[in-house]
Amino acid sequence: MTDTTPHEPDHVYDVVVIGAGIVGSAIARDLSGHQLSVALVEARDDVGDGTSKANTAILHTGFDAKPGTLESRLVKRGYHLLSEYARSTGIPVEQTGAILVAWNAEELAALPGLKEKAEQNGYDRCRIVGADEVYELIPSLGEGALGGLTVPDESIICTWTTNLALATDARQRGAEVLLNHAVTAVSVNTRSTTLTTTGGSVQARWVVNAAGLGADRIDRLFGHERFTVTPRRGELFVFDKLARPLVDKIVLPVPTSRGKGVLISPTIYGNVMLGPTSEDLTDRTATGTSEDGFAFLLDKGERLMPRLLAEEVTASYAGLRAAINHGDYLIEPTPSQRYLLVGGIRSTGLTSGMAIAEHVHEVLEKAGLALTARTDLPGPPQMANIGEATVRPYQDADRIAADPEYGKVVCFCERVTAGEIRDAFQSPLPARNLEGLRRRTRAMNGRCQGFFCGAAVNRLLNENGCGGTAAAPARPEVNS
Amino acid sequence: MTTTTLTPDVLIIGGGPAGLTAAAALAPRIRGEVLVLDREKDAGGIPRHSDHTGYGLRDLRRVMTGPKYARHLVEQATSAGATIRTETMVTHWAGDRAVEVTGPQGRLRVEAKAVVLATGARERPRAARRIPGDRPQGVYTTGQLQNAVHLHHSEVGSRAVIVGGELVSWSAAVTLREAGCATELMVSQYPRTESYAAFNIAGRALLRVPVANRSRVTRIIGKGRVEAVEIENLDTRARRTVACDTVVFTGDWIPDHELVRSGGLDLDPGTLGPLTDTALRTSRPGVFAAGNLLHPVDTADVAALDGLHVADQVEAWLTGAGEPAPGLRILAEAPLRWVAPGLLRPGDPAPPRGRLLLWTDRSIRFPHVIVRQNGRVLSERTLPWPAAPGRVFRVPWSVMKGLSAQGGPVTIGLR
Ligand SMILES: Cc1cc2nc3c(=O)[nH]c(=O)nc-3n(C[C@H](O)[C@H](O)[C@H](O)COP(=O)(O)OP(=O)(O)OC[C@H]3O[C@@H](n4cnc5c(N)ncnc54)[C@H](O)[C@@H]3O)c2cc1C
Ligand SMILES: Cc1cc2nc3c(=O)[nH]c(=O)nc-3n(C[C@H](O)[C@H](O)[C@H](O)COP(=O)(O)OP(=O)(O)OC[C@H]3O[C@@H](n4cnc5c(N)ncnc54)[C@H](O)[C@@H]3O)c2cc1C
């Protein structure tokens, strides 16, 4: 079911999901597995262009969640659902394991409590290890570690492919993906709700608000005053691939009240990441990086792993967590309005997204939405592998023999081939701009940042009718 | 698996001035094949998209544009009998002198008797310089800019800020002018803009580029497209913003050393290229290196002459030259950042062109070079040419006379 026509203004979808991040895409995918017409409405010109594109990309076991919360349950469940889904779609995942490192007596003393907490969360594979073992596991760690706690199942995953897979799956199951549709007004009528968007109005019987950083604003459009989102910025450095031999596990700090703190982690693309910072802001578009953020990270990095700082930085970026003044996820239906809020999915939404979707469907059913599972579902989409741990197209002799485009390396640093770039333009949710292409292929994400390939990549973008700019088109755009 | 194995006598990785010149020199002199692999669509290296004159002076004794020079070198290598394969990228090592390769013809394995690494250098982009701010479109390196303008005829913006004051920064200014983009400002951390004095004055007069010396960019501003940069005066710490829609990061070179590092070859911590001796041998027997991979970054003719120099050494290796003698490290002392080559072995030839290549962080009008070994001054010499940041400082090999092969490392300093 890849063929949909642009929506009619009068068409009433059974469910409209606002926000095509991980959470909204997972929900749209799940709902379109039922006998329902579903639309996924997104303000930006691509799926996964909000918080879901800029995080630390760790698939959490949920060992350190607050026991008994909805978040704790959904992170744990999400870990299994997404691991399984990754296997069937080809989303890159590596089970690297993590180690929490204690640097002072207080942190050392906190380890047994953390192990216990993990057990309360149903995770019993943590182990407390001494300093010797910490250095055995991570020889390049800075001096002064006193001990650690291992979490063998923490994993790294590709957040871009995850988001894209879920949205593509929703699309292939028949959901409409309406990009460049920012919801600006809501009018709840007796039988349907009209969403006014920058791409025209959209009618729905039920509305699910999964708008991430914008969820409180949508909630207000529905007349509620429940919560305020605080954008909590996290800045990160991505170090060159040549640094990867320094660290093959996620190195976590012992958590404090300020959040999870600064970690060092291998990335699925073969780099090493340092970050994130944690800073509450007011501007929800402030995804720029800052001098203070960089200084803070370099200071932390200097202590955590001085050798890492001698390596080149390949990229830096910032993401905004949707923090709220509430200790748990805020998933609350208002049946009278046929409306469901999915808010406050702070720092674990990549992992929990699919479990949130499962939970949402139960909540909706209880709230009165009839859900009948479909029996004619297409199989899961097969995603392009942009992970470094398994065979990439440029390494695949048979694949190149069958299609020489996979033998033409366009982006040298990331070894992205002409075949992969072509595929990204021809997929069900095609790349429309440079950022979208980067997330689908890794092109231009490497150490030269375009010195060699930038011009060629831009040329391919222009040839494919997408233009090199990220400007939103004036006309309403419907995915087709 | 459909992997083909090729077995040339010599594998040259990188078809820029260094690799092509080595190929042209070697091909007529050895029996087996000389194979050049380059990942770009056409061989020729950086000069392919450096569309202005100034190439070929020292190696060809005439001056031509970059693209013409690139074509000339390709022809020279081909007519000498070397094989050039383009769109063919070396991705991994597969043995001491064997590599894995990807190209449209498939996945190849190449096993050679000798390997020359000539993979060049690139400019550090914004991220590597750790410059914070927004992440808008319109941020380039000179390489990307020239590629876009000269090979792809793409448009750039209308008002640019150039970061850096090296030779290549002026090259960027020329390209911007050709692309119809005004240079609002050149920002350089040094008290005076470096590069050749002649070009500098001519450049300033011709291009009328205003320069902010002793300054650095502290932030990039703009959603979607660049709107401005914030710059800071390094002495007064005063900051201001400069409106622009294009930013070009120039100079600040790093060798393309991926194969050097992934192969575990010894690295020179100064240049970040492979550590070589004056015969341009790396730490792995039968693997040599030449060009800007060793000295980031010098002009193309100097890279080409490295290629000529390495050809003799490769030939000697193929004809069974014995183990080289142990070497002495040659080290640079501040304000010198690096020296290439970094090893000296008794009995070896002088380095290419009989010069040591160095990089200075401070400008010195009449540099006084001091060579020391074991704390003892070996030689001193005042040179008639300046040492200036942003370009290679050359020192005649004769300053190394009189050192002891049994002594400790040799250091080169400036006063
Ligand atoms: C620095 C950082 C590190 C993190 N690390 C991890 C981690 O390691 N593991 C993990 O599991 N999680 C992590 N997270 C959390 C995770 O990234 C988020 O929980 C998750 O991406 C949230 O997804 P989402 O779909 O709710 O939000 P988003 O991805 O932001 O999606 C919301 C979408 O709604 C759209 N939208 C907003 N307003 C409107 C409107 N009015 N009309 C239409 N559309 C609208 C937005 O454009 C956006 O695309 C991290 C987050 C950050 C910031
Ligand atoms: C913008 C700019 C302007 C310049 N202007 C001048 C000037 O006016 N005059 C002048 O003399 N010099 C100039 N130079 C410097 C000159 O271009 C360089 O000195 C010269 O190109 C260096 O030659 P090289 O052979 O060492 O490396 P390069 O020319 O960089 O060639 C390296 C080659 O190796 C290939 N390669 C790298 N890795 C692999 C791999 N893994 N597999 C296959 N192939 C690989 C690359 O594709 C490339 O073709 C300029 C440089 C720049 C960037």
Side-chain angles (χ1 to χ4, degrees):
Chain A
M1 279 191 92
T2 52
D3 184 44
T4 48
T5 46
H7 74 285
E8 304 284 327
D10 321 328
H11 180 80
V12 181
Y13 293 100
D14 291 320
V15 187
V16 165
V17 179
I18 304 174
I22 302 256
V23 173
S25 300
I27 294 170
R29 170 190 168 275
D30 180 273
L31 291 176
S32 53
H34 300 85
Q35 292 176 14
L36 292 172
S37 69
V38 176
L40 183 57
V41 168
E42 169 56 49
R44 306 203 188 211
D45 58 0
D46 197 3
V47 302
D49 199 41
T51 300
S52 298
K53 78 176 172 204
N55 50 46
T56 44
I58 294 172
L59 181 57
H60 294 298
T61 52
F63 76 97
D64 62 345
K66 190 168 169 208
T69 57
L70 181 61
E71 181 174 15
S72 137
R73 178 160 72 77
L74 295 184
V75 170
K76 179 169 189 275
R77 173 81 180 140
Y79 179 91
H80 292 289
L81 287 175
L82 184 52
S83 298
E84 179 65 37
Y85 190 61
R87 270 190 290 277
S88 68
T89 51
I91 296 167
V93 183
E94 278 181 61
Q95 191 183 316
T96 58
I99 175 161
L100 277 91
V101 179
W103 296 95
N104 57 39
E106 193 191 339
E107 288 174 359
L108 193 64
L111 296 180
L114 282 164
K115 183 166 182 282
E116 228 162 82
K117 188 171 168 189
E119 280 155 12
Q120 284 171 34
N121 281 320
Y123 185 76
D124 61 4
R125 289 180 17 100
C126 286
R127 224 162 38 83
I128 293 178
V129 296
D132 289 356
E133 201 172 332
V134 170
Y135 285 104
E136 234 164 78
L137 293 168
I138 316 154
S140 53
L141 203 66
E143 280 172 30
L146 302 178
L149 181 77
T150 62
V151 194
D153 299 287
E154 291 281 290
S155 304
I156 57 177
I157 189 166
C158 176
T159 188
W160 302 326
T161 310
T162 300
N163 203 133
L164 192 62
L166 292 167
T168 302
D169 205 350
R171 173 89 178 79
Q172 290 183 347
R173 290 173 168 198
E176 196 101 58
V177 179
L178 304 174
L179 301 174
N180 293 312
H181 278 56
V183 175
T184 54
V186 169
S187 129
V188 182
N189 308 312
T190 45
R191 317 202 44 170
S192 71
T193 297
T194 303
L195 303 176
T196 306
T197 85
T198 49
S201 67
V202 181
Q203 314 256 12
R205 241 162 32 86
W206 278 81
V207 176
V208 176
N209 168 7
L213 290 166
D216 57 342
R217 291 185 176 159
I218 300 282
D219 203 46
R220 286 199 184 97
L221 295 180
F222 274 90
H224 302 277
E225 274 297 339
R226 277 186 268 204
F227 68 113
T228 301
V229 169
T230 302
R232 181 169 293 164
R233 176 162 66 181
E235 297 183 47
L236 295 124
F237 275 127
V238 179
F239 287 87
D240 193 279
K241 291 181 202 318
L242 294 164
R244 179 71 193 256
L246 289 177
V247 53
D248 63 359
K249 275 173 199 56
I250 306 161
V251 182
L252 300 170
V254 175
T256 66
S257 57
R258 286 290 297 147
K260 291 197 206 300
V262 171
L263 55 88
I264 290 178
S265 165
T267 77
I268 202 80
Y269 321 110
N271 301 70
V272 174
M273 195 169 59
L274 171 70
T277 58
S278 180
E279 179 191 5
D280 286 350
L281 304 176
T282 48
D283 179 358
R284 297 171 194 213
T285 63
T287 51
T289 50
S290 69
E291 248 175 314
D292 289 351
F294 281 11
F296 178 81
L297 288 179
L298 294 175
D299 181 57
K300 285 273 182 194
E302 188 60 53
R303 268 177 288 153
L304 287 171
M305 196 174 285
R307 280 171 63 191
L308 181 59
L309 298 196
E311 299 289 342
E312 299 283 319
V313 170
T314 296
S316 53
Y317 62 91
L320 298 174
R321 309 166 187 86
I324 62 169
N325 39 357
H326 178 83
D328 203 351
Y329 291 170
L330 203 55
I331 303 182
E332 281 182 18
T334 313
S336 60
Q337 292 179 303
R338 299 172 314 279
Y339 166 64
L340 174 68
L341 164 68
V342 182
I345 314 299
R346 301 160 289 184
S347 55
T348 46
L350 160 60
T351 306
S352 62
M354 293 188 78
I356 292 175
E358 200 181 62
H359 177 68
V360 156
H361 122 199
E362 285 159 17
V363 172
L364 285 175
E365 198 162 33
K366 265 194 217 126
L369 176 68
L371 285 167
T372 312
R374 279 168 55 186
T375 52
D376 58 343
L377 281 182
Q382 296 308 302
M383 306 309 290
N385 172 36
I386 60 171
E388 202 60 30
T390 46
V391 178
R392 301 260 317 281
Y394 84 89
Q395 293 171 296
D396 190 337
D398 296 334
R399 193 156 176 191
I400 299 170
D403 183 349
E405 291 294 296
Y406 294 115
K408 288 188 194 166
V409 182
V410 176
C411 164
F412 304 131
C413 304
E414 296 297 309
R415 293 158 182 193
V416 182
T417 62
E420 292 163 274
I421 292 179
R422 175 203 59 206
D423 295 350
F425 293 126
Q426 293 177 356
S427 59
L429 291 173
R432 291 149 191 281
N433 53 39
L434 189 55
E435 290 306 310
L437 185 66
R438 289 167 89 130
R439 290 201 291 273
R440 283 163 180 79
T441 65
R442 278 168 50 177
M444 270 181 80
N445 280 3
R447 58 174 72 98
C448 92
Q449 292 282 306
F451 179 96
F452 294 109
C453 73
V457 169
N458 268 304
R459 160 110 120 213
L460 290 170
L461 261 174
N462 290 324
E463 282 171 5
N464 284 278
C466 308
T469 63
R475 69 190 160 80
E477 190 155 315
V478 168
N479 179 65
S480 58
Chain B
M1 290 296 249
T2 44
T3 305
T4 316
T5 301
L6 308 178
T7 53
D9 269 13
V10 182
L11 167 64
I12 297 175
I13 305 175
L20 291 171
T21 305
L26 270 167
R29 278 157 47 186
I30 63 169
R31 228 175 305 137
E33 187 189 17
V34 174
L35 174 64
V36 181
L37 298 182
D38 200 287
R39 59 194 184 181
E40 296 278 358
K41 217 158 152 226
D42 297 298
I46 296 279
R48 282 173 317 121
H49 50 73
S50 186
D51 197 1
H52 55 72
T53 191
Y55 283 90
L57 187 64
R58 296 185 185 81
D59 56 335
L60 305 176
R61 309 239 164 250
R62 55 191 156 121
V63 180
M64 53 182 114
T65 67
K68 209 161 158 216
Y69 177 70
R71 281 194 299 275
H72 180 88
L73 295 183
V74 169
E75 269 161 36
Q76 227 176 19
T78 317
S79 54
T83 311
I84 303 175
R85 284 199 192 218
T86 54
E87 283 192 319
T88 303
M89 176 168 179
V90 177
T91 61
H92 300 93
W93 289 98
D96 278 351
R97 285 170 297 280
V99 294
E100 284 172 33
V101 172
T102 293
Q105 63 277 77
R107 192 77 178 147
L108 303 174
R109 191 186 156 92
V110 182
E111 295 172 4
K113 297 192 182 110
V115 175
V116 178
L117 300 171
T119 52
R122 68 193 140 83
E123 295 165 295
R124 281 196 177 82
R126 174 221 176 148
R129 302 181 200 212
R130 301 175 180 177
I131 294 176
D134 300 324
R135 300 183 66 202
Q137 306 277 315
V139 180
Y140 298 89
T141 47
T142 319
Q144 182 181 359
L145 175 78
Q146 297 193 330
N147 227 308
V149 171
H150 295 309
L151 292 185
H152 294 269
H153 311 288
S154 328
E155 287 187 8
V156 290
S158 58
R159 314 163 70 188
V161 166
I162 295 178
V163 185
E166 303 188 16
L167 261 186
V168 71
S169 319
W170 293 101
S171 181
V174 172
T175 302
L176 286 169
R177 193 178 55 167
E178 280 170 31
C181 181
T183 299
E184 297 283 308
L185 190 67
M186 190 180 266
V187 182
S188 165
Q189 58 169 310
Y190 297 110
R192 330 172 348 156
T193 337
E194 358 12 293
S195 77
Y196 291 96
F199 192 24
N200 202 343
I201 295 159
R204 277 184 200 240
L206 260 170
L207 295 161
R208 261 182 287 206
V209 172
V211 182
N213 286 314
R214 292 291 298 149
S215 298
R216 66 180 185 121
V217 171
T218 48
R219 186 156 61 104
I220 304 238
I221 302 161
K223 296 270 183 219
R225 177 90 199 183
V226 175
E227 288 156 23
V229 293
E230 181 188 71
I231 68 168
E232 179 187 84
N233 181 302
L234 290 169
D235 299 321
T236 64
R237 300 277 157 201
R239 292 193 176 188
R240 63 182 164 120
T241 56
V242 181
C244 60
D245 58 14
T246 303
V247 187
V248 189
F249 285 93
T250 68
D252 193 357
W253 304 92
I254 174 158
D256 250 300
H257 60 200
E258 184 174 36
L259 289 169
V260 178
R261 287 197 57 187
S262 62
L265 276 60
D266 288 353
L267 204 70
D268 182 322
T271 60
L272 295 180
L275 180 64
T276 66
D277 55 27
T278 57
L280 305 187
R281 298 180 196 96
T282 69
S283 59
R284 185 182 290 176
V287 177
F288 299 77
N292 277 342
L293 175 63
L294 299 178
H295 36 76
V297 72
D298 207 341
T299 52
D301 47 8
V302 170
L305 290 168
D306 273 9
L308 203 60
H309 182 85
V310 86
D312 294 338
Q313 320 308 324
V314 171
E315 192 183 16
W317 158 261
L318 291 175
T319 50
E323 280 277 298
L328 293 178
R329 279 292 266 123
I330 311 174
L331 300 167
E333 248 172 24
L336 296 170
R337 196 186 292 180
W338 52 253
V339 54
L343 267 180
L344 183 159
R345 301 182 204 270
D348 267 2
R353 298 187 63 238
R355 308 271 200 289
L356 283 169
L357 307 181
L358 303 102
W359 196 267
T360 180
D361 284 323
R362 192 151 52 79
S363 188
I364 302 178
R365 195 89 193 83
F366 299 103
H368 187 73
V369 177
I370 306 173
V371 179
R372 288 195 183 82
Q373 188 178 29
N374 300 332
R376 191 171 64 85
V377 174
L378 217 72
S379 69
E380 299 189 54
R381 172 106 50 99
T382 303
L383 297 176
W385 53 82
R391 61 175 158 120
V392 169
F393 172 57
R394 305 171 211 281
V395 173
W397 181 240
S398 53
V399 299
M400 303 298 274
K401 252 188 230 143
L403 54 84
S404 149
Q406 276 70 47
V410 183
T411 59
I412 304 195
L414 272 192
R415 205 177 57 212

